Amino acid sequence: MITHQPCLLRPPVLTLPVGLRLRAPHTRLSTVACYHRPPHLRLLPLRAAAGGAAPGGGDGGKRPSATSSSVGAAVVDFARSNFLPLALITGIALGLLDPTLGCLAHKCSLSKYSTFGIFLISGLTLQTKELGAALEAWPAGLFGLASILLFTPFLARFIMQINFFPHEFITGLAMFCCMPTTLSSGVTLTQLVGGNTALALAMTAISNLLGIMIVPLSLAKYIGAGAGVSLPTEQLFKSLVTTLLIPIILGKVARETSKSIAGFVDGNRQGFSVTSAVLLSLVPWIQVSRSRSLLLSVQAKAFAVAVAIGVLLHLVLLVFNAATMHILSRLEQKGVSVFARKEYARAVILVASQKTLPVLVAVVEQLGGALGESGLLVIPCVAAHINQIIIDSIVVNWWRQRDQQLANANKFDLDG
């Protein structure tokens, strides 16, 4: 990170020829006098910025400016490195302070357009070699699907054993375990961290399509104990097609048919990643705005406990998926295991550890209050959905910083 102003890093000798040229018409004595004039030496600001003392106080008045510039650069660098969690926290805060705009955005179906935009960007940035790499990593993808649809629903049985009031909070979190992965945030975070986007997209699409058949079975086995659960299958298929497949295809077709578009996208990947993060932050903003009245009606202690359970649940999923991928990577002896490849492992860990909220809302609406008050069922899941994005964005940020440190270390070794 650059902590000094670029102007302070210029070699001070560069300022001397300017003074010499200005004094050229005068005598040699005046030129020497100019050479010894302290104001023309730019060493003092540089020493002050580095923490040294300026002798004589000649440039002491410029210290606050250099310090404030360094602080400003540090703040900008922090904002760039932590843009996604800051955007999510800002969205939550805005939804709690004033839900008017968030509710209006929900009425205008802004979340659907934002999801469309996220997957359109995914299609634009999806390179053909990533598609082949996703086929190569089918064992990792198969494990991810098993974790999403088989292991995590099994955790619902243990969550249902918790005695808590209101019991709808626990029931809602147990239902959350039975859901497929998120439609957008897992793919977006995979893209931000440099994971294999195609593998993340494949697990997202397949788990949500298979979830139409598996989710009702999981709910009936672990939660409902015979309660009839019906999913809006046709609507869910249409939603997946319009919000996932169509924008990806449009983005991919645009990339492959126009070299200028492909070059522009590749040259501005950071800008597209920031745009995806902004679109993703709209989801919790709208959700918090919609649920604000219910959130404020619940006792703070009960809500805090439910939030803590949701956070613990997500951490368990992260640890389980990361540990299992590490163990599987040790089993294969010949060559480099697909489970050990960083781009595959990160995609699986992120996507397999997240749960989708829209499918849960659709299920709750179909239940018609059979498992409790619908609003109380959804509230802890809204918090869990937001917290999993925040936690994973922190993990992604840590991965990116570690990659940068390794890259800098390798560059230093090569230069040495």
Side-chain angles (χ1 to χ4, degrees):
M1 181 182 68
I2 298 176
T3 58
H4 307 294
Q5 290 290 343
C7 62
L8 300 178
L9 300 178
R10 293 179 301 179
V13 70
L14 294 179
T15 62
L16 298 178
V18 177
L20 292 174
R21 286 196 298 270
L22 292 175
R23 301 290 183 177
H26 297 278
T27 63
R28 179 179 178 84
L29 180 62
S30 63
T31 303
V32 174
C34 176
Y35 178 83
H36 288 287
R37 297 175 87 185
H40 285 276
L41 294 177
R42 308 304 294 174
L43 288 175
L44 294 179
L46 181 60
R47 292 179 62 186
D59 263 348
K62 294 185 179 180
R63 287 184 190 175
S65 176
T67 304
S68 61
S69 299
S70 299
V71 172
V75 170
V76 171
D77 184 74
F78 176 82
R80 288 177 178 175
S81 302
N82 302 274
F83 183 80
L84 182 56
L86 290 176
L88 293 171
I89 294 173
T90 301
I92 295 171
L94 291 176
L96 289 174
L97 291 174
D98 187 2
T100 305
L101 290 177
C103 294
L104 180 61
H106 172 67
K107 292 180 180 179
C108 298
S109 300
L110 183 61
S111 59
K112 294 183 179 179
Y113 295 110
S114 64
T115 304
F116 186 94
I118 289 171
F119 284 107
L120 179 63
I121 292 175
S122 297
L124 287 170
T125 57
L126 181 61
Q127 299 180 358
T128 305
K129 62 181 181 181
E130 290 182 333
L131 295 174
L135 295 177
E136 178 188 359
W138 67 265
L142 189 62
F143 162 73
L145 293 175
S147 176
I148 295 168
L149 299 173
L150 298 179
F151 171 73
T152 51
F154 182 73
L155 295 178
R157 172 175 292 178
F158 299 97
I159 295 178
M160 289 296 293
Q161 303 302 318
I162 301 176
N163 293 323
F164 189 76
F165 181 82
H167 191 67
E168 285 90 343
F169 278 5
I170 296 300
T171 305
L173 289 173
M175 295 175 63
F176 196 58
C177 291
C178 299
M179 297 298 113
T181 188
T182 54
L183 288 174
S184 57
S185 58
V187 177
T188 303
L189 291 169
T190 300
Q191 181 181 358
L192 288 174
V193 80
N196 189 269
T197 308
L199 178 60
L201 287 169
M203 288 189 293
T204 298
I206 296 173
S207 67
N208 278 271
L209 292 174
L210 293 179
I212 298 173
M213 299 177 289
I214 297 177
V215 167
L217 300 176
S218 299
L219 292 175
K221 181 177 181 180
Y222 299 120
I223 301 173
V229 178
S230 61
L231 284 176
T233 307
E234 184 177 352
Q235 295 179 8
L236 187 56
F237 265 113
K238 290 181 179 179
S239 176
L240 287 172
V241 170
T242 56
T243 61
L244 194 152
L245 292 179
I246 290 179
I248 290 176
I249 293 174
L250 290 177
K252 183 60 178 173
V253 169
R255 177 183 179 86
E256 295 299 327
T257 56
S258 175
K259 293 183 178 179
S260 60
I261 293 178
F264 177 78
V265 172
D266 292 338
N268 297 274
R269 282 187 171 267
Q270 184 177 2
F272 281 97
S273 297
V274 170
T275 304
S276 294
V278 172
L279 294 175
L280 182 60
S281 67
L282 296 178
V283 177
W285 170 56
I286 295 174
Q287 292 170 356
V288 170
S289 299
R290 291 181 59 200
S291 307
R292 181 178 181 272
S293 59
L294 282 174
L295 288 171
L296 296 179
S297 66
V298 176
Q299 293 184 0
K301 182 178 180 180
F303 180 70
V305 173
V307 170
I309 295 175
V311 170
L312 180 61
L313 171 65
H314 185 63
L315 292 177
V316 168
L317 295 181
L318 282 174
V319 172
F320 168 78
N321 289 315
T324 306
M325 289 291 290
H326 179 72
I327 293 173
L328 292 175
S329 67
R330 299 292 183 179
L331 297 179
E332 188 172 340
Q333 301 295 331
K334 297 180 180 179
V336 179
S337 171
V338 294
F339 298 100
R341 297 277 294 274
K342 182 172 61 177
E343 62 271 22
Y344 300 149
R346 292 178 176 180
V348 172
I349 292 172
L350 290 172
V351 174
S353 300
Q354 294 190 358
K355 294 295 178 180
T356 183
L357 185 67
V359 177
L360 179 129
V361 173
V363 172
V364 170
E365 291 176 355
Q366 292 298 312
L367 289 174
L371 297 178
E373 176 63 33
S374 299
L376 295 179
L377 290 171
V378 172
I379 285 178
C381 300
V382 172
H385 180 79
I386 296 171
N387 286 332
Q388 71 182 3
I389 298 175
I390 294 176
I391 292 172
D392 289 352
S393 66
I394 294 173
V395 173
V396 165
N397 183 63
W398 178 73
W399 274 337
R400 294 177 66 181
Q401 290 180 351
R402 190 177 67 172
D403 291 345
Q404 185 64 39
Q405 292 174 356
L406 292 175
N408 292 338
N410 293 334
K411 182 179 180 181
F412 178 79
D413 292 339
L414 292 176
D415 294 340

